[in-house]
Amino acid sequence: MGLAKTEIFTDKQNQIAQYAKVFGHPARVAILQYLYKLNACVCGDLVDEIGLAQPTISQHLKELKQVGLIKGNVEGTSVCYCIDADNWTKMKEIMSEFLDQDLNQKDCC
């Protein structure tokens, strides 16, 4: 069987692509903004705040958790989510390095 397309790229390139994908949906951006605004773990308040159905919110939370930007803790019958500060810092470093590539470039055309 052939290589998966992602296997021909570096780990850093794949990580940048994963971050870009997770930021590619406004619901996930809104969830991250809400979690930062509260500066606390959220348990079930997202449906009213974001305005999407619970299964949709759950899918977005799953994607954010898979990329490591949020973490979840089980409390009773619900899962509470908050920003994973260490991974958020790591993401900022990786994305800043990628986005700042133009700072030392001369005009090519």
Side-chain angles (χ1 to χ4, degrees):
M1 190 172 272
L3 291 175
K5 291 179 184 178
T6 58
E7 291 179 10
I8 65 173
F9 301 102
T10 67
D11 289 342
K12 189 172 276 190
Q13 289 168 331
N14 281 301
Q15 189 68 55
I16 291 166
Q18 288 175 346
Y19 291 139
K21 180 182 176 186
V22 84
F23 287 125
H25 197 290
R28 291 190 286 267
V29 172
I31 289 168
L32 290 168
Q33 288 176 318
Y34 184 66
L35 290 174
Y36 259 112
K37 181 175 85 173
L38 286 184
N39 196 25
C41 287
V42 173
C43 304
D45 298 329
L46 290 171
V47 172
D48 292 334
E49 180 65 27
I50 306 299
L52 297 173
Q54 182 60 53
T56 305
I57 294 287
S58 294
Q59 182 61 37
H60 289 303
L61 289 169
K62 178 182 172 186
E63 300 223 11
L64 289 166
K65 190 172 181 184
Q66 282 179 332
V67 79
L69 295 181
I70 65 170
K71 55 187 173 182
N73 299 314
V74 177
E75 292 189 12
T77 59
S78 64
V79 180
C80 299
Y81 291 97
C82 61
I83 299 291
D84 186 320
D86 292 336
N87 286 339
W88 185 265
T89 299
K90 177 183 168 188
M91 178 274 304
K92 285 175 42 178
E93 291 169 358
I94 290 170
M95 294 303 289
S96 291
E97 180 183 337
F98 174 69
L99 294 171
D100 289 346
Q101 292 178 90
D102 64 325
L103 295 180
N104 296 318
Q105 296 289 317
K106 298 177 183 176
D107 290 335
C108 67
C109 300

